[in-house]
Amino acid sequence: MLNKFSRYVCQNCGYETSQYFGRCNNCKEWNSIIEEKKSTLSKKNIIKQTKKSKLFTEIKLQEISRIKTGFNEFDRVLGGGLVNGSIILLGGEPGIGKSTLVLQAAGKISLSHNVLYITAEESLEQVKIRWDRLNQGNSELKVFAENNLSLIIDEIESSKPTVAIIDSIQALNNSDLESASGSVSQVRSCSSELQKYAKDNNIALLIIGHVTKDGTLAGPKTLEHLVDVVLNFEGDQIATHRLLRGIKNRFGATFELGIFEMLETGLNEIKNPSSNFTCQENIAGVATTITVEGTRSFAVDIQSLVNKSFYTNPKRATTGLNINRLHQIIAVIEKHVDLKLYEFDCYVATAGGFEINDPSSDLCIAISIISSLINKKPIKDCAFIGELGLNGQLRKTNNLKSKVEECIRLGYRKMLIPKNNSEIVMKFKNYISLIEIENIKGAVNIALKN
Ligand code: TYD
Ligand code: MG
């Protein structure tokens, strides 16, 4: 029977029907339709206008007050710290260290603020074991183990924290809904209720969410729209370094990066990432580039292993780099340096598997491949910057100045950079020798001439 007070709305595309379907007629998504109750009162009668439109000149800005997390790396990704009354979503694969990061930060914040850590996944004893392992000592941090949404809101109401942490949103349960914890409707309803409560009461709310296998936060990305800040905690569970990436930030720069390492005693911030991602030794097959992540530049080694292939199709594999970029760079080398790689397997990896998307690392990748192929070391104390065009030309790169500055800080003596950067060459000529290069062939002649 049709219910005149309900409508059924696809949560994927917004298609509306008066009847429930298992599959949306419009976008063909399964189980995306949910019932939404219509309001029976006319909005016009009940909502009085209390706000008026304003001119920009009339709007007064208040200083945003921020709460420091005790980790400089975390604060930088947040844009300077947690903003009062903001909602932050911290995503990441299970086991990557989200609870550890947040518990360490909570311990530090609780030294000066009222913090409530709500654990819906673990018992109080489990959290205490982790706490002792992290050697956090005494603190005023309050912990509450519960997964029922209304009990959690009651607890937040009574403890009145400045910062509340939910670990994790997928374990929460709103008993008004019949679906299981972790389902899209549960995740969505729990987060919107919590968000509303936190906004009304000026509580900074940090929500942990597990990411699904395809890399999206569970609840088809819906949470990302609700919150002010989306952070992703990534890394390889075997390697120790962990990256905290800003995906969205209403209070700061996005794509900012914080780097940590996971030790026996918890997470430790890495203040000088260049030292972690370079070996500073001169070896055949290894070359160094400078990559920019967020507002920071740092050096990363790229290593290649090029071996005679025994397969009909030679093997190409990458770690930390897109495989298609490798194919493209190999094609450019074959065509423009006239080195044939079709009989060689080619393995290219960044130090520590650190993911590099900066196209200006192309030249460095090419030099490391050729260096391994001909078994010759690249010139000493040199970094390589430049995006390779398909015609073998080196293209202009962004943030060259900050890359050069990082190189100087690290004590490199030379840098191969794309041409038409004479201003930068002049500016830094007393500190580093910047060699302007036109194309890949020119770069190889200089980099591998020794
Ligand atoms: P955890 O914070 O529980 O991950 P998440 O909340 O993202 O699921 O971290 C779990 C992993 O971190 C676990 O494999 C053990 C490791 N770990 C350390 O190496 N050192 C530590 O001090 C802690 C607390 C955890
Ligand atoms: Mg956890």
Side-chain angles (χ1 to χ4, degrees), residues 93-100 130 133-134 262-266:
E93 281 176 29
I96 205 70
K98 301 180 295 297
S99 305
T100 308
R130 175 176 293 135
R133 181 174 176 183
L134 300 173
M262 178 66 96
L263 304 175
E264 270 300 295
T265 49

Side-chain angles (χ1 to χ4, degrees), residues 99 121-122 130 167 210:
S99 305
E121 285 181 1
E122 292 166 310
R130 175 176 293 135
D167 188 0
H210 296 293

